[in-house]
């Protein structure tokens, strides 16, 4: 894997990265309320972005500071599976990771709210991948929900400024 991917997704205890992201999302009331409830960023182009990753005992806490707010998630490997769970408040998405050269695709497998499984129709519109372009860590996340449309999509780049 390319060094920026190794550093962002490696095993160092702390990573701090800075960059820029374009954030899109539906502007209707339901989408705005869901973004707020889940701690997702609001739309805006060329937002400064800072990502802080803290790793402790197999758990990663990702804090993303966009110009329009802060998004914090907790990433854990699911015991006895090849899946990872990413918790956004009361919602957890479960992903399988697939490496395709220097790209990592996050493939949604299931989701739960308050630990109760959700039907696939509620989370099937999630596209997420990360990779390297021009020596930088790049990412693209796009989440769409039935009856809501695009909840949030963000893409951009990061450069690691501290990793220990």
């Amino acid at each position: 894997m390319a060094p920026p991917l190794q550093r962002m997704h490696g095993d160092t205890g702390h990573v701090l990265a800075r960059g820029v992201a374009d954030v899109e999302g539906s502007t209707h009331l339901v989408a705005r309320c869901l973004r707020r409830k889940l701690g997702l960023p609001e739309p805006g182009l060329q937002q400064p972005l800072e990502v802080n990753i803290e790793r402790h005992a197999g758990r990663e806490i990702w804090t993303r500071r966009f110009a329009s707010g802060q998004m914090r998630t907790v990433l854990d490997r699911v015991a006895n599976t090849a899946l990872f769970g990413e918790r956004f408040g009361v919602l957890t998405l479960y992903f399988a990771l697939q490496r395709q050269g220097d790209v990592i695709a996050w493939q949604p497998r299931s989701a739960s709210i308050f630990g109760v499984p959700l039907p696939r129709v509620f989370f099937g519109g999630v596209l997420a991948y990360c990779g390297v372009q021009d020596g930088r860590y790049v990412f693209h996340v796009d989440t769409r929900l039935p009856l809501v449309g695009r909840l949030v999509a963000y893409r951009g780049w990061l450069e690691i400024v501290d990793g220990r």
Side-chain angles (χ1 to χ4, degrees), residues 2-117:
L5 274 175
Q6 289 177 13
R7 292 181 70 199
M8 286 293 285
H9 296 286
D11 57 4
T12 58
H14 174 257
V15 174
L16 177 63
R18 292 190 181 106
V20 174
D22 290 333
V23 182
E24 299 174 26
S26 177
T27 58
H28 63 71
L29 181 62
V30 173
R32 290 193 328 258
C33 288
L34 278 171
R35 278 195 299 271
R36 198 167 300 122
K37 185 71 174 164
L38 295 171
L40 301 173
E42 290 298 320
L45 298 178
Q46 295 295 293
Q47 293 189 39
L49 173 61
E50 180 177 276
V51 176
N52 188 53
I53 305 167
E54 294 291 334
R55 296 184 176 102
H56 306 282
R59 171 176 286 168
E60 296 183 1
I61 300 168
W62 286 59
T63 305
R64 301 160 183 93
R65 291 179 185 88
F66 293 86
S68 63
Q70 179 174 293
M71 176 176 138
R72 184 174 181 265
T73 63
V74 178
L75 187 66
D76 282 304
R77 186 167 205 136
V78 179
N80 302 315
T81 73
L83 300 178
F84 288 86
E86 187 167 20
R87 191 172 66 246
F88 302 77
V90 300
L91 174 71
T92 303
L93 296 174
Y94 299 94
F95 295 94
L97 302 183
Q98 182 179 39
R99 183 175 163 200
Q100 302 163 345
D102 278 338
V103 172
I104 298 173
W106 297 67
Q107 301 175 328
R109 293 295 188 245
S110 62
S112 65
I113 190 162
F114 292 110
V116 177

Side-chain angles (χ1 to χ4, degrees), residues 4 132-138 159:
V132 175
Q133 184 177 7
D134 299 326
R136 294 176 168 162
Y137 179 87
V138 294
E159 291 181 338

